[in-house]
């Protein structure tokens, strides 16, 4: 057992803190937001994440997990290891990662580090390359070691990803003695994980910082690639789902992350590809990652494409049409609506004149708070009533399991745009629906361009 601190109780930090406590460590987790600390201390998760509530309660009950407002916790200085898990959101001005919270956390930490403990500061946040070295330059003279240990957790799978990650990366000092000491302490923390033979990669700090952004940029590229193929399928009569399956059997390609649709969103992928571009520009190699601009453009294009598709399949167009959007969160099993393609599509439909109602099993409180102008339906049946078009925007299990007969009895017109290619189209066809997928050969791009409404839509 080791005493550790976690600084920042957002998505990453709160899950990390509870997961570390579940491994048997004594954890003090701090955050500047008193409300968040109150909620977590009372065992109430501030976000939806399967499995989190259980390990949070376990940790609190065991007495190994405590939460405190930053600056009010004297025991912080007793921690051997301090995990930095504060947010590094995209700056609205420059597109770069905003490091304000990280800098403030490090200022606080610098005041409590005790050199006799030889503490280790472990960065988990996603940061521009060079940040870890800057922290090391500042904290090493105070007797601390700095390691970059990126986190690859996916929302909706955060607990499992933290306790059973695909790999563990330590970005260490170039000084062999410092590196060996820090790696040894981190190995002790991760002993249970390492016993599962999870690969552990020891490298320098810039590599560790880049690994995280590279992984997210690669995933984003994979999604935009398949969405480009979806466009090709639309103009040629191909089916992107079959195409993805066929290329996915090649182990060099792999089937995962080849689901075409309205594209990626969330707190990581969009931010990280933009941050990587900004860094490349600053480092004078912007052309090296120029393709990421294209990845971003293709991704945003998916959102406008689905709206054009919706416009085209509605007799009379979108103006005044009652549209029910199923899904608001950026992915299922999460209440996160940050940069959500689903929500963006809903707003674009509103701008196109549609009368939109948004349904979501988990995300509506966040939608109501941030988009009070958007009409939501907390009751699915009411949300679907009299709809003239249904758009599936987030592939929640509840929506995939909907009975098309039942839905057909509620709506005014049986047309569904499947923005995630996630529905069993034969089942919906059998129930008399017009099912329009993304890149499923239903709809010729030229038909939309020519304004030939409905041409190419398979019944
Ligand atoms: C991502 C990375 O997967 C994770 O490793 C990293 O630590 C944080 O960023 P997350 O943001 O939780 O995780 O979401 P992810 O599951 O990667 O999905 C991102 C977006 O891509 C979602 O909007 C999802 O709907 C979309 N997506 C995913 C697709 O459009 N098609 C796919 O095939 C897969």
């Amino acid at each position: 057992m080791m005493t550790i601190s976690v600084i920042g109780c957002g998505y990453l930090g709160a899950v990390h803190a509870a997961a570390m406590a579940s491994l048997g460590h004594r954890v003090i987790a701090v955050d500047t937001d008193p409300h968040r600390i109150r909620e977590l201390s009372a065992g109430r998760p501030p976000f939806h994440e399967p499995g989190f509530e259980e390990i949070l309660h376990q940790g609190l009950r065991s007495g190994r997990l405590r939460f405190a407002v930053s600056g009010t916790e004297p025991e912080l200085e007793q921690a051997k290891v301090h995990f930095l898990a504060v947010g590094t959101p995209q700056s609205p001005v420059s597109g770069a990662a905003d490091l304000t919270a990280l800098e403030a956390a490090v200022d606080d930490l610098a005041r409590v580090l005790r050199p006799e403990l030889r503490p280790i500061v472990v960065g988990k946040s996603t940061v521009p390359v060079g940040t870890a070295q800057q922290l090391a330059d500042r904290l090493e003279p105070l007797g601390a070691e700095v390691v970059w240990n990126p986190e690859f957790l996916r929302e909706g799978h955060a607990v499992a990803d933290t306790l059973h990650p695909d790999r563990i990366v330590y970005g260490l000092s170039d000084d062999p003695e410092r590196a060996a000491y820090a790696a040894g302490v981190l190995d002790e923390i991760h002993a249970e994980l390492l016993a599962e033979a999870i690969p552990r990669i020891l490298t320098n700090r810039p590599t560790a910082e880049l690994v995280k952004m590279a992984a997210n940029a690669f995933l984003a590229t994979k999604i935009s690639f398949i969405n480009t193929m979806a466009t090709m399928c639309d103009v040629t009569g191909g089916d992107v789902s079959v195409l993805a399956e066929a290329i996915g059997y090649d182990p060099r390609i792999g089937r995962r992350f080849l689901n075409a649709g309205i594209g990626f969103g969330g707190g990581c992928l969009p931010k990280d590809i933009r941050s990587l571009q900004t860094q490349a520009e600053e480092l004078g190699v912007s052309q090296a990652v120029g393709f990421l601009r294209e990845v971003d453009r293709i991704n945003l294009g998916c959102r406008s494409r689905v709206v054009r598709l919706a416009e085209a399949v509605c007799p009379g167009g979108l103006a005044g049409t009652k549209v029910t959007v199923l899904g608001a969160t950026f992915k299922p099993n999460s209440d996160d609506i940050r940069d959500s393609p689903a929500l963006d599509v809903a707003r674009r439909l509103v701008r196109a004149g549609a009368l939109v109602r948004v349904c979501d099993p988990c995300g509506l409180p966040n939608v109501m708070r941030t988009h009070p102008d958007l009409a939501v339906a907390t009751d699915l049946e009411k949300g679907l009533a009299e709809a003239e078009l249904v758009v599936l925007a987030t592939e929640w299990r509840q929506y995939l399991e909907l009975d098309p007969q039942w839905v057909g009895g509620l709506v005014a017109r049986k047309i569904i745009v499947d923005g995630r290619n996630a529905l069993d189209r034969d089942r919906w066809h059998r129930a008399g629906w017009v099912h329009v997928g993304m890149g499923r050969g239903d709809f010729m791009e030229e038909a939309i361009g020519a304004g030939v409404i409905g041409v190419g839509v398979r019944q």
Side-chain angles (χ1 to χ4, degrees), residues 343 346-347 350 356 358 367-368 371-376:
L343 206 51
R347 288 163 55 207
V350 171
V356 175
V358 179
V367 175
M368 289 188 269
H371 297 80
D373 49 321
L374 210 53
V376 300

Side-chain angles (χ1 to χ4, degrees), residues 112-331:
V112 301
L113 289 173
R114 285 177 34 195
E116 67 275 19
L117 291 178
R118 201 176 176 191
I120 304 186
V121 176
V122 185
K124 293 201 85 69
S125 316
T126 306
V127 291
V129 191
T131 308
Q133 190 54 48
Q134 280 167 19
L135 294 190
D137 292 343
R138 168 146 189 226
L139 299 178
E140 280 175 4
L142 302 177
E145 303 300 334
V146 173
V147 180
W148 221 257
N149 170 224
E151 184 65 64
F152 303 98
L153 63 82
R154 296 160 300 165
E155 294 192 17
H157 303 269
V159 175
D161 284 352
T162 307
L163 290 172
H164 310 280
D166 297 329
R167 71 291 207 191
I168 301 176
V169 179
Y170 300 162
L172 301 161
S173 165
D174 292 331
D175 175 316
E177 191 278 326
R178 284 179 183 279
Y181 166 73
V185 176
L186 279 186
D187 279 355
E188 231 179 295
I189 291 186
H190 294 134
E192 209 169 299
L193 277 56
L194 295 171
E196 279 180 29
I198 290 167
R200 157 178 155 289
I201 293 157
L202 308 188
T203 183
N204 62 12
R205 293 182 186 124
T207 310
E209 291 168 314
L210 273 172
V211 164
K212 175 61 191 281
M213 260 177 296
N216 280 349
F218 189 83
L219 294 172
T221 305
K222 209 171 172 189
I223 299 169
S224 279
F225 173 81
I226 201 66
N227 281 324
T228 301
M229 287 301 123
T231 305
M232 289 303 290
C233 286
D234 266 342
V235 295
T236 56
D239 184 333
V240 76
S241 299
V242 179
L243 182 143
E245 188 192 348
I247 63 172
Y249 279 119
D250 182 335
R252 293 170 302 176
I253 296 173
R255 172 64 184 83
R256 292 174 72 189
F257 269 68
L258 283 182
N259 296 325
I262 59 172
F264 61 80
C268 289
L269 263 48
K271 170 187 88 136
D272 288 354
I273 56 168
R274 290 168 199 155
S275 165
L276 199 53
Q277 287 172 66
T278 310
Q279 285 176 66
E281 267 160 39
E282 284 166 8
L283 295 164
V285 289
S286 60
Q287 286 187 342
V289 296
F291 73 97
L292 288 178
R293 218 183 325 273
E294 202 55 18
V295 166
D296 205 1
R297 194 190 61 77
I298 293 165
N299 189 51
L300 295 177
C302 295
R303 303 178 184 184
S304 40
R305 190 153 156 258
V306 77
V307 176
R308 279 192 291 134
L309 208 57
E311 175 88 46
V313 293
C314 283
L318 280 170
T321 298
K322 291 186 191 131
V323 182
T324 300
V325 176
L326 297 179
T329 54
F330 85 104
K331 67 190 264 189

